[in-house]
Amino acid sequence: MEESGKDLDIKEPDTNVYKEIGQLNQVKFYDYSVTDMMQTKKIKNVQPSDDSYVREFEGISYFNIKGASRPELVYERSKKISLIEGRTFNADEIKKGSAVAIISDKVAKENNILVGDKVVFDRLVAHISQGGSGDTETETKAKEYPIEIIGLFDVKEVKEKKSTGNTQKDTDQKMNQTIDLYDKLNVIYLPNAYIEKTQKEMLAFSYDSFPDNFLDENEEVMDKDTVLKEFSYTSIQVTYVLNKNEDIEDFRMLGNQILKDKGLGYYKIEASSDQFDSIAGPIKGMAKISHIVLIVSVIASIFIITLVTILFLRDRKHELRDILVSWREAIQRCRTNCRGSNVSSIGSDDVIRIFW
C-alpha cells in the first residue's frame, strides 16, 4: 500500500491500546478476546441431526477458539451463554495462560467429557498435494495439547420467529438460526495468553511438518525465521459495553483520538448501532418512496374514475334526453288530469332543474 510514493507500515493495535480505551469514563465493561480455529480428529463437535449444517469433513472436526482477558466471560455477562457446571477462569490462570478450558455441555456429552477431566486435543496441520492420478491428496500431522476442562456452558437459543408466509425467507431464517446456534456450541474458551502461545507453537509446527506450504514468489521454501515473523498474526475481537447509549459519540471521539495518537489513525471505532443505521437507512428511504407512490396512485385512481364517468355520461346523453322528454310528457298528463283538484303538481322545468 502506497501513499505519496512512501510505503505505509500498517500495524495492529496491541493489547495496551485496547486497555487504554477501556479506561475511558464512558466504558462500563470491556473484554478483548484472541480468536483462533482448531482442527482435530480425537474430539468430535456437535452438528444438527439432519446434517443441515456440517462442521466436520473427512473425520476432521472444526472448533472456534475464543480467549478471555478476565475471569468473567463477556459472553456470559451479555447473556449469550450460561455456565451450568464447574467454574470460570481465575485471575492466576488468565495471567499465566494456563491450559484450562470451558466447553459446551453438548460437546462434553458427545465426547463423554466431565468437568475436571484432562482432555488431549490433537491440533492438526495439513498439506494438500497433487496425486499421481490428478486428484488432490491431503496429509495431516497433529500436535497434542492436554487441557483441563473446568466448566461447561449452555447456549441460550433464540426463539424461532413466526412464519413470514414466504417459504424461502422462512427457510433462510431457520438456517441462519441453526448456524448461529452450532457456531456457539462449538466454541472452546481459553485464556488469551494460552491461545497466543499455542498460535506461535502451531505456526512453527506447521513449518517443520510441511515447509512446502511456505513458498516465496520464486516458488522456493522460505526460511523459518522469516515465516515466524511474517506469518505470525493474532486476531483480536474487542467488546466495549458503555454506561449509557448517550455516551456513544463521546466514546467514539475519544477512542478514535487514542488510536490516532498511537499512529493507528487508519482504524476507526464503530458502534453496533452503526450496522443498524446502515441497514435501516435504505429501508426508511424505500418506505418514503412507497408512501409517495401510494399517494400518486390514489390521485391517479380518482382522476381515472372521474374521466370514465364523464365519458359514460357523454355517450349516454341521447338516452338521457329521451328519458327527460318522457318525464316531461308524463308530468303534463298528470297536470291535465289533476286540473281542478286540490293536488299540487311540480313543473317539468323544476324536475329538469333538480335532475341536472
Side-chain angles (χ1 to χ4, degrees):
M1 191 175 196
E2 295 184 0
E3 184 179 14
S4 301
K6 296 181 179 179
D7 292 338
L8 287 178
D9 182 18
I10 304 296
K11 59 181 180 179
E12 296 287 329
D14 59 30
T15 55
N16 291 326
V17 175
Y18 298 131
K19 291 177 181 178
E20 186 174 346
I21 295 175
Q23 298 305 314
L24 292 174
N25 294 330
Q26 293 79 15
V27 178
K28 178 181 180 181
F29 174 84
Y30 83 97
D31 192 17
Y32 67 92
S33 175
V34 178
T35 61
D36 200 359
M37 177 169 280
M38 179 174 67
Q39 306 172 66
T40 175
K41 286 185 177 180
K42 289 185 177 181
I43 307 299
K44 303 298 180 185
N45 60 22
V46 289
Q47 300 181 145
S49 57
D50 59 1
D51 291 332
S52 57
Y53 179 46
V54 179
R55 292 181 58 94
E56 182 264 346
F57 180 71
E58 294 184 351
I60 300 175
S61 293
Y62 295 85
F63 288 91
N64 296 323
I65 298 177
K66 292 187 177 181
S69 66
R70 57 175 62 206
E72 184 182 15
L73 294 176
V74 67
Y75 299 98
E76 184 182 15
R77 184 158 180 172
S78 60
K79 309 298 183 183
K80 293 181 180 179
I81 65 172
S82 58
L83 190 72
I84 60 174
E85 189 176 346
R87 62 177 179 84
T88 58
F89 310 107
N90 58 45
D92 190 55
E93 290 167 341
I94 293 291
K95 183 178 180 180
K96 292 180 179 179
S98 303
V100 291
I102 302 171
I103 63 174
S104 74
D105 61 328
K106 304 294 190 299
V107 171
K109 183 178 180 180
E110 180 72 20
N111 296 276
N112 297 315
I113 297 173
L114 301 175
V115 172
D117 287 351
K118 264 199 172 178
V119 180
V120 176
F121 288 85
D122 56 324
R123 300 192 62 173
L124 303 177
V125 293
H127 174 68
I128 300 175
S129 60
Q130 197 79 17
S133 60
D135 298 331
T136 57
E137 297 179 353
T138 302
E139 182 183 359
T140 61
K141 289 186 180 181
K143 182 175 177 63
E144 295 186 340
Y145 285 94
I147 299 175
E148 180 185 353
I149 306 302
I150 62 171
L152 303 179
F153 69 86
D154 185 26
V155 175
K156 296 190 176 182
E157 297 187 42
V158 178
K159 292 183 179 180
E160 190 169 337
K161 296 181 180 179
K162 294 182 179 180
S163 174
T164 62
N166 185 318
T167 304
Q168 184 60 48
K169 188 174 181 179
D170 288 343
T171 301
D172 293 343
Q173 181 175 279
K174 186 175 181 180
M175 187 63 199
N176 289 335
Q177 289 180 335
T178 299
I179 292 173
D180 182 64
L181 172 62
Y182 283 88
D183 279 349
K184 291 176 181 176
L185 285 172
N186 291 295
V187 170
I188 301 172
Y189 292 98
L190 292 155
N192 278 334
Y194 179 83
I195 299 175
E196 291 176 320
K197 178 181 67 176
T198 54
Q199 281 180 332
K200 294 176 182 177
E201 292 175 355
M202 287 302 298
L203 179 58
F205 176 71
S206 180
Y207 181 89
D208 293 337
S209 301
F210 304 111
D212 288 344
N213 284 349
F214 304 91
L215 303 178
D216 60 18
E217 61 270 12
N218 298 319
E219 297 297 315
E220 295 182 358
V221 176
M222 304 170 66
D223 65 88
K224 188 173 182 178
D225 290 339
T226 302
V227 169
L228 295 180
K229 180 180 179 181
E230 294 188 2
F231 287 80
S232 180
Y233 174 76
T234 301
S235 175
I236 297 179
Q237 183 182 52
V238 190
T239 302
Y240 296 96
V241 179
L242 305 185
N243 293 311
K244 50 188 178 180
N245 292 336
E246 292 76 11
D247 291 336
I248 289 179
E249 291 306 320
D250 289 340
F251 170 73
R252 192 201 306 267
M253 179 184 68
L254 295 172
N256 285 332
Q257 186 60 49
I258 291 175
L259 290 172
K260 186 177 180 181
D261 294 342
K262 301 292 183 181
L264 301 167
Y266 34 78
Y267 288 100
K268 298 296 180 184
I269 292 177
E270 291 186 354
S272 55
S273 58
D274 294 342
Q275 297 178 348
F276 172 80
D277 292 339
S278 65
I279 297 173
I283 293 177
K284 290 180 180 178
M286 292 176 62
K288 188 174 182 180
I289 293 174
S290 299
H291 184 67
I292 294 174
V293 170
L294 178 62
I295 294 175
V296 172
S297 299
V298 171
I299 295 174
S301 299
I302 294 173
F303 175 77
I304 292 172
I305 292 173
T306 304
L307 182 61
V308 169
T309 303
I310 293 173
L311 293 174
F312 173 81
L313 293 175
R314 190 185 68 177
D315 293 340
R316 297 292 186 273
K317 64 182 180 180
H318 298 296
E319 297 176 12
L320 292 173
R321 186 186 61 186
D322 293 340
I323 291 173
L324 291 175
V325 170
S326 299
W327 213 350
R328 180 190 291 271
E329 293 175 352
I331 292 172
Q332 289 292 343
R333 285 195 299 271
C334 180
R335 292 175 64 180
T336 301
N337 295 333
C338 294
R339 185 173 298 162
S341 67
N342 293 328
V343 178
S344 62
S345 61
I346 300 175
S348 60
D349 291 339
D350 295 332
V351 173
I352 297 172
R353 187 164 53 251
I354 292 173
F355 182 83
W356 284 108

